[in-house]
Amino acid sequence: MDVGLLGQYVANGLMLGVIYAMVAVGFTLFFGVLDIIKFSHGDVLTVGAFTGLATFIGLQMIGVASPWFQVFIIIIVAVAATGFLGALIAKYLVLPLRSAPPLNILLLTLMLGAALRECVRLFYPQGANPKPFPRLLPQDSLALGSFTLRLDNVILLGAGIGAIAAVHLVITRTRLGLAIRAVAQDAETARIMGIHFDRVVLLTFALGSGLAALAGVMNGLYYNEINFSIGLLLGVIGFSAAVVGGLGNIYGAILGGFLFAALQTIGAVLLPAIFPGLPSAYKDVFAFAVVIGFMAWRPTGLIAERTAERV
Amino acid sequence: MRISFLACAAAIALAGSAFAQQKQTVKLAFIGPLTGGVSANGIGGRNSADLAVRLRNEDPKAKYKYELVSLDDECKPNIAVQAATKAASDKSVIAGVTHYCSVTAIATVDTYHKFGFPVVVWGAVLPDITYRNKYAEVHRVNGTMINQNDVAAKFMTGQGFKRWVVIHDTTDYGKAHDKYFTEYLTKYGGQVVGRFGVTADQQDFTAELTKAKELKPEVIYFGGLTPIGVRIRSQMERLGIHAVFQGTSGIKSDSYIEGLGNKLAEGSLSFIEGAPWEKLPGGLYFTGKYAQAKYDQGPEAYGPFAFAAATLLMDTIEKVGPDRKRVIAELAKVKDKESIIGKITFDDHGQNIVPLISKYVAQDGKWMIWEDSEYGKGTRKLK
């Protein structure tokens, strides 16, 4: 295979991978802090993307024309609004059920996801229809043989990696991160040491949800289209990526995201080549099957969360 | 004396209003995708059927007052069966103008047959809808994809293209497009160098398109509907694939051009059954009346077919009365019936025999009839 095409596959996979990794990092944050699986995470991403689109329409109406300024405001509003939604979910739905069986929270967030999805469908004007997302980033491209490098792809990839790195820095280098890690390790001891448990949980949910909103806006800017069900598959893929990487471990979530994207790309290209007549539509079947294989091989994930249990 | 005068006036007024209301109300169902990715086509079809009903109700010679009951099939087979059952099980609904999506039309034929509910399909092109069974209830005013792909393959090979990559969705609709197009392309000397079956709600096509890029096709043929057509064309640009984008009737929609913008849509091709109705006298009448009615959205490509289907059903009911069995029996006799889409003749499977296929190209943000376009006249080239 030509090097240019190989580079193109890698670039495509990296773009997909960074979006999956951003969703997976959210799952891992929630699990790390509260040991819960928030199944509404994908739909929170949808809310973020639609908030971004509504903001764009608002900016158009008031006459803001600069694409860079539009992107900036869209991201700020989407991340802030969705982060606030995440904190609300934590305060009124997750924290009150903290002592309930984990299955209850799982079911609750699953139903919340369906409710959010339906709200977008019903309350956003003509929300059942796919919505064109504006092309706000520069469309310039550079052809290097059979490899085409788009400036908007580079910007989105950089933004995604930057966002994940920023979350990582917050977790590892700040007082908030220290508090999050303390709560994740032992909530009771953290409380005794003076950490405001509820506040840390709310901020963690706001952080994870804000990251999902950014992923939603990036998804819109990349594909130039969003619809009310984008979060459904992204949520499942993000969760699978977090699990296969090692739920609770941020590096695991990143690895899982890129791994899943690589599996989809390989599935789309190799399946029809190896089995003529088999459509590339089976790429998701292939990717999920391999993930099942990984989970059987490493049940705690490729990079398991470091835990110590004293007996 | 005064009291008796008032009583007489009241009696005359009541008799007058009773006379005005004495027309029996007959319900017709419209079923199509009113929400979802292809809702522009569904709403265009619904508006067109509604226009036919409005015009008929304005006609003082009409024996009945008609009411259109609109149901959304969301372009999903399970939802369509629910909508079909709802319409067919309501005895007050006499007949239906049904389905734009092939997956919904094929899923519901058994329901219509079971309930003895006469329908005229207005947009779905899968041949099996009329030809898999011989159901007296099922008719179709638009043509099938067989002729469409025959003409498409002959036309494109005639333009000098030789290498194709086929991308189709993996529904019966997409697979049938792949089957018939490949069959005719091979017959006319073209070559399919790669084939990709994708899901009907897929978002990312970069892996398939990168593989397609490697195969260096001159044309990418797409057998599917507008939403993923928009995504594929958009991602072709993203990957720097310079091939002609050839769609089917499934992308002949204003929302295809709106979704891509004029620049990206430029030069895309689509093929649709029937004469170019914009040029027929009936077509001009339709567009004029549609504009007068001030609907929010345009009729889209299959609106005239929905209008023709609704008109045909109302003509039939006018003739034989609001009785499902009689309507079915009468529809079986339809031959050379004038309509805005040309003459309608149903064969023994209820399929309108439409010999003509129209070719369209997107030019400057509009679908233009090929022969009238600058591409057809040779001043622009497909690339």
Side-chain angles (χ1 to χ4, degrees), chain A residues 5 8-9 12 16 126 128-130 135 146 148 150 152-153 221-225 227 230 268 279-281 283, chain B residues 35-37 39 197-199 202-204 206-208 210-211 213-214 231 234-235 238-240 259-260 264 297:
Chain A
L5 284 168
Q8 193 77 64
Y9 284 122
N12 301 340
L16 274 180
Q126 296 186 315
N129 302 343
R135 295 165 204 271
S146 43
T148 302
R150 294 256 305 197
D152 52 353
N153 287 13
L221 288 169
Y222 182 59
Y223 293 115
N224 305 117
E225 184 201 295
N227 62 68
I230 47 168
S280 62
K283 66 182 180 183
Chain B
T35 57
S39 61
V198 299
T199 54
Q202 193 167 318
Q203 182 93 43
D204 186 88
T206 49
E208 288 88 349
T210 305
K211 182 70 187 164
K213 188 177 179 180
E214 186 185 351
R231 291 172 201 162
S234 171
Q235 289 172 40
R238 198 167 270 282
L239 295 171
L260 282 170
L264 267 185
Q297 295 186 33

Side-chain angles (χ1 to χ4, degrees), chain B residues 254-305:
Chain B
D254 294 342
S255 55
Y256 173 79
I257 295 173
E258 282 163 22
L260 282 170
N262 297 359
K263 192 179 157 203
L264 267 185
E266 183 70 29
S268 297
L269 293 156
S270 73
F271 300 82
I272 191 165
E273 319 80 40
W277 55 269
E278 297 94 323
K279 290 186 157 186
L280 296 177
L284 295 173
Y285 163 78
F286 168 74
T287 45
K289 290 288 180 189
Y290 195 96
Q292 275 177 17
K294 292 190 167 55
Y295 291 107
D296 288 345
Q297 295 186 33
E300 288 285 355
Y302 282 92
F305 291 96

Side-chain angles (χ1 to χ4, degrees), chain A residues 14 36 40 80 99 105 117 122 126 162 179 186 205 217-218 220 236 273 288 307:
Chain A
L14 284 175
I36 65 153
S40 55
S99 49
I105 297 185
R117 195 160 57 246
L122 296 170
Q126 296 186 315
D186 189 335
F205 270 70
V217 171
M218 281 174 54
V236 174
F288 281 113
T307 54

Side-chain angles (χ1 to χ4, degrees), chain A residues 139-160:
Chain A
Q139 311 279 303
D140 310 86
S141 62
L142 179 66
L144 305 164
S146 43
F147 175 62
T148 302
L149 185 66
R150 294 256 305 197
L151 185 55
D152 52 353
N153 287 13
V154 175
I155 293 168
L156 288 171
L157 192 62

